[in-house]
């Protein structure tokens, strides 16, 4: 039995590793999806790799109010409804100590990760509230939203801020059965983790070995394990969960 039959999901960062894997899962579970990202070619490739008539895409920058307004209008015009918002687009920014971190880089990461998530919610909450079946909003944060990490102050600050946005929006949605939750993955086997490792001067294998030693379960999460959590939060299986932070990190957050 499929868990998301007839549902429509908007997924920002839809061409990235987590967005694309989750989109594929949602479609397998009966949903239609609209992938959102800035680069149309990457979106087209992601949609082609998924290969379903239920996979649509729209190029927009989540930090641009007008582009996101138009994006949501496209979703409603194309799919006729909206049930699930996966606010997942994000950047990790540079690796630098606070004293060396460029202010422009800090402002950039806050604009995309925080303001962009705010804009995504701003343009979708009223639609979800008006949906007689309610809705589910999932924000992709990170372990970086739960604890500090040296040399990643922009990323860590932006991901901590998302918890506050999630909690306020969850309170606003509760009366209308719109649930808002946040997933905080630890390192996932993905190109973003490899890129962070490269910024620290390590190969993907070297970085994976180093980081895995700090994780009680001793390994990265797989993209499929992230999709499992996304499916749970998007579906009725989590119908009484709202305002929650869900770590997905092999036990790292309890340290
Ligand atoms: N991978 C991990 O280990 C990990 C762990 C914890 C949390 N996360 C979080 O999970 C989310 C997805 O990560 P991922 O691993 O799938 O990364 P990814 O492969 O780099 O995907 C991120 C996507 O976000 C899009 N994006 C970036 N800025 C955007 C903007 N301003 N407007 C619209 N789209 C934008 C990018 O597409 P364009 O560049 O084409 O716009 C890209 O497709 C991120 O929020 C990340 O912080 C990842």
């Amino acid at each position: 039995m499929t868990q998301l039959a007839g549902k429509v999901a908007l997924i920002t960062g839809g061409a990235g590793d987590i967005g694309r894997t989750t989109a594929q899962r949602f479609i397998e579970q009966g949903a239609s999806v609209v992938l959102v990202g800035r680069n149309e070619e990457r979106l087209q490739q992601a949609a082609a790799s998924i290969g379903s008539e239920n996979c649509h895409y729209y190029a927009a920058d989540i930090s641009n109010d007008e582009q996101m307004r138009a994006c949501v209008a496209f979703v409603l015009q194309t799919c006729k409804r909206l049930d699930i918002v996966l606010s997942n687009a994000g950047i990790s920014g540079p690796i630098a100590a606070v004293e060396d971190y460029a202010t422009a880089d800090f402002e950039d990461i806050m604009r995309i990760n925080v303001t962009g998530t705010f804009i995504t919610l701003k343009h979708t909450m009223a639609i979800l509230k008006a949906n007689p079946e309610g809705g589910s909003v999932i924000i992709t944060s990170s372990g970086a939203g739960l604890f500090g990490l040296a040399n990643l102050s922009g990323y860590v600050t932006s991901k901590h801020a998302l918890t506050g946005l999630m909690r306020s929006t969850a309170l606003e949605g509760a009366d209308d059965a719109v649930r808002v939750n946040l997933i905080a993955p630890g390192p996932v086997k993905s190109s973003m983790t490899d890129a962070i490792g490269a910024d620290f001067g390590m190969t993907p294998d070297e970085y994976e070995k180093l980081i895995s030693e700090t994780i009680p379960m001793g390994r990265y999460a797989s993209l499929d394990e992230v999709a499992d959590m996304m499916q749970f939060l998007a579906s009725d299986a989590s119908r009484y969960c709202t305002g929650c932070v869900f770590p997905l990190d092999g036990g790292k957050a309890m340290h």
Side-chain angles (χ1 to χ4, degrees):
M1 207 177 92
T2 54
Q3 278 192 319
L4 303 175
K7 302 285 187 192
V8 172
L10 180 158
I11 300 181
T12 71
D17 288 337
I18 290 176
R20 194 182 56 246
T21 308
T22 304
Q24 171 100 52
R25 176 68 67 82
F26 284 4
I27 288 171
E28 285 163 11
Q29 290 297 317
S32 296
V33 304
V34 179
L35 310 176
V36 181
R38 291 168 298 187
N39 184 303
E40 183 143 10
E41 205 178 314
R42 276 203 290 270
L43 289 167
Q44 203 170 23
Q45 284 166 2
S49 76
I50 290 170
S52 163
E53 62 181 13
N54 294 327
C55 186
H56 311 275
Y57 62 86
Y58 189 90
D61 183 333
I62 58 164
S63 67
N64 183 305
D65 242 316
E66 281 319 309
Q67 289 182 22
M68 284 309 287
R69 192 192 309 277
C71 171
V72 174
F74 170 83
V75 173
L76 293 180
Q77 191 184 22
T78 307
C79 302
K80 312 296 178 213
R81 59 184 290 149
L82 180 64
D83 306 276
I84 301 157
V85 174
L86 172 53
S87 183
N88 167 77
I91 59 170
S92 55
I95 307 287
V98 166
E99 61 268 33
D100 300 321
Y101 207 104
T103 304
D105 286 337
F106 189 84
E107 287 175 346
D108 207 35
I109 199 165
M110 294 300 281
R111 180 178 58 78
I112 293 177
N113 291 6
V114 183
T115 309
T117 303
F118 162 76
I119 288 173
T120 303
L121 270 50
K122 176 185 165 79
H123 291 294
T124 52
M125 279 302 286
I127 295 160
L128 296 175
K129 286 179 182 176
N131 184 337
E133 294 173 29
S136 174
V137 177
I138 309 162
I139 297 174
T140 313
S141 179
S142 166
L146 306 177
F147 41 76
L149 290 167
N151 301 311
L152 278 165
S153 58
Y155 190 58
V156 167
T157 305
S158 71
K159 292 299 189 181
H160 274 69
L162 294 180
T163 301
L165 176 61
M166 178 277 288
R167 288 185 174 138
S168 293
T169 315
L171 284 169
E172 294 171 15
D175 270 354
D176 296 299
V178 179
R179 301 179 297 104
V180 186
N181 292 290
L182 178 148
I183 166 173
V188 181
K189 199 155 180 54
S190 64
S191 49
M192 181 182 271
T193 313
D194 292 348
I196 293 173
D199 285 345
F200 279 110
M202 288 181 225
T203 66
D205 286 350
E206 284 167 352
Y207 191 62
E208 182 168 358
K209 186 167 177 298
L210 179 81
I211 294 298
S212 295
E213 283 165 7
T214 70
I215 299 171
M217 291 185 75
R219 63 172 178 84
Y220 285 178
S222 70
L223 287 165
D224 236 30
E225 287 167 334
V226 180
D228 287 342
M229 177 77 88
M230 298 296 193
Q231 180 182 334
F232 168 71
L233 290 174
S235 76
D236 269 0
S238 60
R239 62 193 169 279
Y240 200 52
C241 300
T242 195
C244 301
V245 171
F246 289 87
L248 181 80
D249 63 358
K252 191 169 168 66
M254 71 179 155
H255 258 324

